[in-house]
Amino acid sequence: MTTSRAAKLALQPPPLPPQLADFVQTLRQDLHTWLPRALDAAATTLEQSMAVSSAPAIRVTQSELWARLAAQRVAWIEISAQAIGHAIDEELQGQQQPAPARADEEQPLTLLAEDSIDEEIALSRLVQTAEIEADATLRELAARCARLRGWPAVQPDAHPMRPAVVARGLREAVTALGLDTQSRLELLRHLAPAIGHQMAALYARQLSLLNQWGVEPERFGPHVRAPNQPVPRAGADLGHGSDLHEGPLSTAVISTPSATEATHRLAQNALQRLAPSGVGAAAGGIDPVQTMTRLLAALLDRVGPSLNLRRALQRLDEPAKRLARSEPQLWQSPDHPLWLLLDRLMCSGALLDEADLDGHTQPGTLLDAALDCFAQSDPPDAGQLRAALDAVDHAAHTRLDAHAQRLAPQAQAMQAHLARGEVEARVREQIVQKLRGHSGTPAALRQFLLGPWAAALAASAMQHGLDSPRFAMQADLIDTLVQVCTRPRNRPLDAAVFTRCSVHARLALADSGLPPARVEAELADLEHTLRRPWSDARQHLPSFDEAAPEARRLDIDGAPTPQDPLHDEAAAAPTPQPAAAPAAEAHDPLALHDALATVPLDMAPNAQARERAEAACDAWVGTLEPGTLCRLFLQGRWTTLQVVWRSLDRSMIALAGRPAGVNHTMTRAALHKLRAAGLATSIERGQLIAHALNELAEAA
C-alpha cells in the first residue's frame, strides 16, 4: 500500500455501528417527508405577512420570495434535504474521529454584520422552538442515541439530528439558494420556526422507532470517555461536542458582581453536598477519592483536543485524589487552588494552542515543574498549584497579547471604515432634508451631492472632525451650489463664486480618496451643471417630494447601488421629520449631532420592563473587556470566544478563539441584538468548575 493511499484511508471516518447506520439512513429518508410540510407552512406565513406588511419594500421582497418558493419548491426541498443530511454526516464524523492537526494559520478578521446577526437570531428560533416543544423527547432520544454510538453515559449532543444540527443544515441550504441578504433573512424568519414546529412530531416518531428496535437508554451521568474513544475534533471548542451542554452555560448569568456571587454560591453548595463525612454540612457516605475520580474524568472528557492540557489533567489525577482525602479545606471553599487551576485549564481549552503550554515555552516549563512538585510532595503541597495556576495564566496572557497585536490594527481599520459609512449615511440624510425645499435643484447636482460630495464630507469629518472649520466650510458649500444652480436664466454666473466652488470641490474630492480620473470626471460634470443648470437633460426627473423618486445613491467608489432608502419615501415609516432646526444649523450646518428619525421599537406590554431589559443589555456589553470569555450563538452553534480588543468608545470588539478561522469583529449594536435574543453571555471565573461540581452533586 502506498503512503498516500494509507494516509487517505487513515483520514476516512470509521464505519458507523450497523444499528446507528440504519437509524441515520431512516433520518435521511424522512427528510423528504417533513421538509415539504415545513416549506408549505413557511409559504403560508409568508403570504400572511405580505397581507399585513405596511412597508412596500418589504412587501416586494416577500412577494418575490413567495413566487420563487412556489416555482422552485421541489428544488428547494432537495437542496434542504442534502444540506441537513450533510450536517448530520459532519456531526457523526466529528464525533467519531479527530480532525488532522493543522498548522496555526493567521486568519483574517471578519466583521459579523447586523444582517448576519439577524440570521443567527432567526436560526435560533428553530432550536428554541424544537427544544421547548420536544424537551422530554429529546432527552429520551439522547439516552438511546448514546447507546447506539457506544457512549458510556448520556450527553445532550448524542442525537445526530438534534435541533442545532438541523439549524446548521438549514443555514447551509439557504446560503446555497443564491438569495440576496434581505430575501435570505425573510426566508429564515419564516422557515426556521416552521421547521422547529415540525420537530416535536418528528422526534416522537424517531423515539418510537428506536423503542421498536429495542434500543435501551444509556444511563445518565457524567460522561467518562472510554480509553479507545477519540477526543473531539479540533473544530469543537468549549461548548460544542463534549461541552457541559450544547447551549449557553447559563442564560441568567451575566458579568456583574451578583453573577460572580451566584457562581460562588453554586460552587459552595455543590461542595457542601460532595464533601466527605464530617466536613462542612455534607451528608456522610461520600467517598472523596471517588468524587475526585469522577470529576477529573468528566473534565478530561470536556477539555478538548489539546494534548498538553489533557496531559496536565492526567498528571493531576493521583495527587488530587490524595489531596481530596487529606485536606478538608478543599471541600469548604471554591477558592481552593485546585478548583481555580481546574477551572483555568478548562477555559484554556477554548483559547490556547498546542504550543502555548509546550515544554519548550516558559509557561510550559513552569507548569511542568509545578505539577512535578505537587505530585511528589506528601501530603500534596497546595502551594504548587498556585505556581501551576500562574503558569497557565502566563500562557493565556501571552496568547491574548499575540491576538491583540495581530487583530487590533485590522479591527481599528474596520471601525474607521464603519464609522465613515455611518457618518456618510447621516450626511446624505441631512442633504436630502436640505434639498426637499428646493424642488428646482437639477438632477445632476442632486446626484453629485448625494454621491461623491456626501462621501467627501464623510471623509472630511473623519479626518478633521465634525466641528472643524474645514468641514463647516464644505458643508456650507451645499447651499452655495444649490443657489447657483437655481438662479434665474437671465442671471449670469459669478466668476468668483464659480472658482470658489470648483476649487473647494476639487480639494474635498481629492482628500476623500477618489482616484484622480474620477475626481476630474466629477468636477467636469459639476462645472457644466454650474454653468448651465437648466440645460441638464435630467432636469425634469421627479424631485424628493414627488412620488416614485428615481435618483440613485452612489457608493464611495462611485458604483451605483440598486436601492437608496433615503429616496424611497414610500418605504419610510414614519416619514422622517426635519432634522435640523435653525439654531442647530448655526453650530453645525448639517446638524450631524442631532438624532436622525428612526423607526420606533415595538413596545412590549410592559414598557418599563422593556426599558430595563434594554438597559441590562447595554450594561452587559459595557462590561466586555479584553480577556473576557463569551458564549455566542454564531453560525448555527454555540461557541466560546475571547474578547481580545475593544475600541475606546466600546462601539466595536474583536473576538478570537482556538479553532482555526475564528476571528471576528462585532459592533455594539450587533452584540446588543445577540444579547437581547438570549444568544450571548459571558463566562465568569470559576463558572465552569462550578457547573461541573454541581452536576456531580446532583448525580450523587
Side-chain angles (χ1 to χ4, degrees):
M1 182 181 297
T2 63
T3 304
S4 60
R5 184 182 177 189
K8 187 178 296 186
L9 290 176
L11 294 178
Q12 291 180 353
L16 299 176
Q19 200 168 32
L20 177 60
D22 292 341
F23 181 59
V24 171
Q25 182 63 26
T26 302
L27 299 182
R28 286 180 167 278
Q29 293 173 352
D30 207 22
L31 288 171
H32 291 85
T33 300
W34 61 266
L35 272 174
R37 293 197 295 267
L39 274 173
D40 292 343
T44 300
T45 61
L46 187 60
E47 189 173 16
Q48 294 170 349
S49 180
M50 285 189 300
V52 299
S53 178
S54 60
I58 295 179
R59 285 203 305 270
V60 169
T61 299
Q62 293 175 336
S63 177
E64 293 175 350
L65 179 61
W66 183 86
R68 289 191 62 176
L69 195 158
Q72 303 176 19
R73 177 177 179 273
V74 176
W76 284 19
I77 291 172
E78 185 60 32
I79 291 173
S80 301
Q82 291 180 1
I84 295 175
H86 182 251
I88 294 173
D89 289 342
E90 281 191 334
E91 175 65 24
L92 290 168
Q93 293 170 11
Q95 295 294 340
Q96 294 290 334
Q97 65 164 4
R102 298 191 300 178
D104 185 19
E105 302 176 356
E106 289 194 1
Q107 299 294 330
L109 198 61
T110 58
L111 174 67
L112 292 175
E114 287 191 58
D115 54 2
S116 175
I117 298 303
D118 289 334
E119 293 182 12
E120 300 293 350
I121 293 173
L123 279 172
S124 72
R125 300 299 180 236
L126 184 159
V127 179
Q128 293 171 347
T129 300
E131 290 182 345
I132 290 174
E133 296 184 359
D135 179 63
T137 307
L138 281 170
R139 292 177 182 273
E140 293 296 328
L141 276 173
R144 285 159 177 79
C145 288
R147 175 78 67 177
L148 288 178
R149 301 177 76 161
W151 291 2
V154 178
Q155 286 288 285
D157 58 356
H159 188 15
M161 193 181 159
R162 62 191 181 278
V165 177
V166 177
R168 292 198 290 272
L170 178 59
R171 167 185 284 279
E172 180 182 336
V174 173
T175 302
L177 296 178
L179 301 172
D180 61 82
T181 301
Q182 188 58 41
S183 297
R184 189 168 61 247
L185 178 58
E186 282 294 330
L187 180 58
L188 283 173
R189 283 174 172 168
H190 293 276
L191 185 54
I195 290 179
H197 288 303
Q198 293 282 330
M199 294 291 97
L202 175 66
Y203 290 142
R205 292 197 301 272
Q206 293 173 1
L207 179 60
S208 176
L209 177 66
L210 293 181
N211 287 334
Q212 292 176 13
W213 289 359
V215 178
E216 294 293 331
E218 186 55 80
R219 65 179 178 86
F220 286 86
H223 185 187
V224 181
R225 191 176 300 277
N228 61 345
Q229 186 177 353
V231 299
R233 62 185 182 278
D237 71 342
L238 200 64
H240 179 65
S242 56
D243 190 12
L244 298 174
H245 53 82
E246 190 172 72
L249 288 174
S250 173
T251 55
V253 174
I254 60 175
S255 296
T256 64
S258 60
T260 303
E261 294 171 3
T263 298
H264 192 275
R265 286 197 302 271
L266 181 67
Q268 185 72 59
N269 293 336
L271 288 175
Q272 290 178 354
R273 287 179 288 169
L274 291 171
S277 177
V279 177
I286 297 181
D287 182 2
V289 174
Q290 182 182 8
T291 300
M292 186 63 67
T293 300
R294 294 168 59 205
L295 174 64
L296 291 175
L299 296 182
L300 188 65
D301 181 66
R302 300 168 183 179
V303 75
S306 172
L307 295 178
N308 287 322
L309 290 175
R310 295 175 64 80
R311 190 178 299 115
L313 283 175
Q314 290 169 342
R315 294 174 63 185
L316 281 170
D317 183 78
E318 186 58 36
K321 292 176 185 176
R322 289 189 280 119
L323 189 69
R325 185 168 44 238
S326 63
E327 186 164 340
Q329 187 180 359
L330 177 67
W331 305 101
Q332 297 175 353
S333 173
D335 297 323
H336 191 279
L338 179 62
W339 306 134
L340 299 180
L341 177 60
L342 291 176
D343 182 77
R344 210 78 95 246
L345 288 173
M346 295 300 296
C347 291
S348 299
L351 305 175
L352 300 183
D353 291 325
E354 194 64 47
D356 290 331
L357 287 176
D358 188 81
H360 298 91
T361 65
Q362 182 182 5
T365 302
L366 294 175
L367 178 62
D368 288 342
L371 293 181
D372 285 341
C373 292
F374 178 61
Q376 294 168 7
S377 58
D378 190 17
D381 182 8
Q384 296 299 326
L385 294 175
R386 295 195 179 277
L389 184 63
D390 291 340
V392 176
D393 284 343
H394 185 186
H397 292 153
T398 302
R399 170 57 56 181
L400 178 62
D401 292 342
H403 278 313
Q405 291 177 8
R406 181 169 60 87
L407 299 180
Q410 301 178 51
Q412 290 167 350
M414 284 186 177
Q415 185 194 22
H417 178 75
L418 286 177
R420 174 169 170 170
E422 291 174 359
V423 171
E424 183 179 344
R426 296 171 65 191
V427 167
R428 186 175 287 111
E429 172 67 14
Q430 296 298 332
I431 293 175
V432 168
Q433 300 291 349
K434 276 183 172 290
L435 295 180
R436 289 189 192 279
H438 300 278
S439 58
T441 304
L445 180 61
R446 280 189 273 157
Q447 181 169 318
F448 171 78
L449 292 176
L450 292 171
W453 194 245
L457 286 178
S460 178
M462 297 298 296
Q463 294 174 17
H464 309 293
L466 292 171
D467 298 324
S468 65
R470 177 174 296 190
F471 178 81
M473 180 269 297
Q474 292 167 342
D476 284 334
L477 196 64
I478 296 175
D479 290 330
T480 303
L481 291 172
V482 171
Q483 291 171 5
V484 169
C485 291
T486 56
R487 70 185 187 276
R489 283 175 175 263
N490 59 357
R491 180 182 299 174
L493 174 61
D494 187 286
V497 173
F498 175 83
T499 301
R500 182 165 67 89
C501 292
S502 179
V503 170
H504 287 306
R506 179 186 295 276
L507 292 175
L509 292 174
D511 289 345
S512 70
L514 289 177
R518 170 75 186 282
V519 172
E520 294 301 326
E522 294 291 350
L523 199 61
D525 288 345
L526 176 63
E527 290 176 348
H528 173 76
T529 303
L530 292 175
R531 290 191 181 98
R532 299 183 60 84
W534 46 81
S535 65
D536 183 6
R538 295 164 292 181
Q539 178 69 31
H540 301 293
L541 289 177
S543 69
F544 291 107
D545 296 319
E546 298 176 27
E550 297 293 337
R552 295 199 303 167
R553 157 184 176 177
L554 294 179
D555 205 340
I556 294 177
D557 59 2
T561 59
Q563 181 181 0
D564 185 1
L566 296 175
H567 298 166
D568 187 4
E569 294 203 314
T575 302
Q577 300 298 317
E585 289 188 3
H587 172 68
D588 181 357
L590 292 183
L592 291 183
H593 295 297
D594 293 346
L596 299 178
T598 56
V599 177
L601 293 172
D602 294 333
M603 298 305 293
N606 188 337
Q608 292 182 347
R610 181 178 180 83
E611 290 177 1
R612 287 195 298 269
E614 293 285 337
C617 289
D618 283 333
W620 177 79
V621 175
T623 64
L624 299 181
E625 297 286 349
T628 303
L629 278 181
C630 295
R631 294 276 292 160
L632 305 173
F633 187 83
L634 299 173
Q635 300 175 345
R637 70 181 66 192
W638 285 96
T639 186
T640 303
L641 298 173
Q642 185 180 39
V643 178
V644 298
W645 173 90
R646 68 161 178 82
S647 61
L648 292 177
D649 60 358
R650 300 182 182 272
S651 63
M652 176 178 283
I653 67 169
L655 304 118
R658 187 180 186 278
V662 183
N663 295 322
H664 298 305
T665 57
M666 297 181 69
T667 64
R668 186 184 186 94
L671 274 170
H672 190 284
K673 279 189 174 183
L674 275 181
R675 179 67 177 178
L679 303 179
T681 188
S682 47
I683 301 177
E684 294 289 327
R685 282 287 178 92
Q687 192 173 350
L688 295 180
I689 192 65
H691 277 266
L693 289 169
N694 187 61
E695 283 186 0
L696 284 180
E698 290 181 348

